[in-house]
Amino acid sequence: MGRGKVELISTAMAITSIEKYESLIGVEATERILRKAAPLMGARVACVNSTYYGGGVSEILDPLTLLFDSVGISVEWRVIMGSPDFFSITKKMHNALQGDRINLSLRKKRIYERTTFENAVRNQLDHDYVIVHDPQPLALIEHYSRKGPWIWHCHPDMSQPNPEIWSYLRPFVDQYQAAIFSIPAYRQELDIPQLFIQPAIDPFSIKNRKLDRKVIADRLRRYGIPTDLPLVAQVSRFDRWKDPEGVIESFRLARKQVDCTLVLLGDVATDDPEGEEVYRSLLGSREERIIILSRQDSALVNALQQSATVILQKSIKEGFGITVSEALWKGTPVIGGNVGGIPYQIKDGINGFLVSTIEEAADRIVRLLHDSELRRQMGHGGRRRVKEQFLMSRLLEDYLDLLGSFETVYRMKQEPPAGSEGG
Ligand code: UDP
């Protein structure tokens, strides 16, 4: 299967492939996925987004593009480029899609559209399928004569988009053949079909595979994270929608009743210019038991999610929040904001808690820190939920269903008319 074009030597076994998933999802599911991939074999797919690292989209594209390749479908991953001005505007667009106000001046539209055009000049996109992620590269579609379907995959929390930004972006979206949102609550008024597909995690990545105790201890020590008290942690881009201040306040309230250490770990994505500012605004809250780190280190994310007694994802808006599944996969209970995609992952009181206020978050931290049996049960439930719903093989299958549903020129070439001998 796949891998035809790349000469791999010793790394071949280390790369994400559908065969690796068989031990988790079973032979039947693996064969079903391969059957769905077969009619698309040899197709050329392009994925386009705006950063190679930082944030959930690159986290998905990294393993997903490799998985596609392992089932015989070649995927190219393109990242658009832009000036700080461009990314400052697209971050404002992202915030407005999540409900913020925006001053969408002519100057901003010009920068957005000109940078889009420049990227179109640099990128040939003549693939059988093109999948464009999020608002940054959305408008590329204006500049191509399309060979096959173009799909827009939108990841923010679209429960209440600002009407001004939506009326500007919608004419671009309507040129696509389909739009994907994470959950049905994000449905919009559009002329094209809409699908609801939830993101997923790669259980074999450095971030998600089981680490042994020594590796975890070394990693925590390297960053000066003490392990003498239970760890409560949130791992997220430094973004105010993730409510880092609320996390600190919840922790301070909880600490009146139980001893623990808080770690806020974040990274800064290249397409998110606000991260640095949010990180700096938090530094005044640092103290011996409140550790705030800005690092790009997947093994540290893993070590924290695995060793924390409780993980928080106290978002105010959250498209999906794969950090929740990442922690649940490690058997760590998660306290999440009751917004967006989080309730799809956390069943309140079963594999974690859903909260809407700082006080609720503090109360659930105390409950979990006091009750090891509750943590054990929730940990089991969480891992089971991710295994059933949020592994990358499921996302691959959803995409195969979607790509396979188009009557494309590519597919008609592959599939002989019914009744003929084929070959
Ligand atoms: N992440 C990371 N290092 C950090 C903070 C976050 O690698 O310091 C990763 C995190 O593990 C997850 C992704 O960034 O894989 C965040 O995805 P999510 O869907 O939770 O949020 P987004 O950033 O897309 O809003």
Side-chain angles (χ1 to χ4, degrees), residues 10-31:
S10 58
T11 51
M13 295 309 291
I15 279 195
T16 302
S17 71
I18 193 64
E19 286 78 12
K20 280 182 130 184
Y21 279 79
E22 196 174 303
S23 62
L24 292 171
I25 63 174
V27 178
E28 202 180 307
T30 310
E31 284 177 353

Side-chain angles (χ1 to χ4, degrees), residues 54-57 59 207 235-237 242 265-267 295-298 301 305 313 318 320-323 326:
V57 178
E59 196 67 31
K207 184 171 290 174
V235 177
S236 272
R237 273 182 308 109
K242 315 280 183 183
L265 171 64
D267 60 357
R295 287 288 184 287
Q296 189 74 43
D297 184 338
S298 297
V301 171
Q305 289 171 335
Q313 189 56 59
E318 188 61 78
F320 183 71
I322 51 172
T323 47
E326 287 168 3

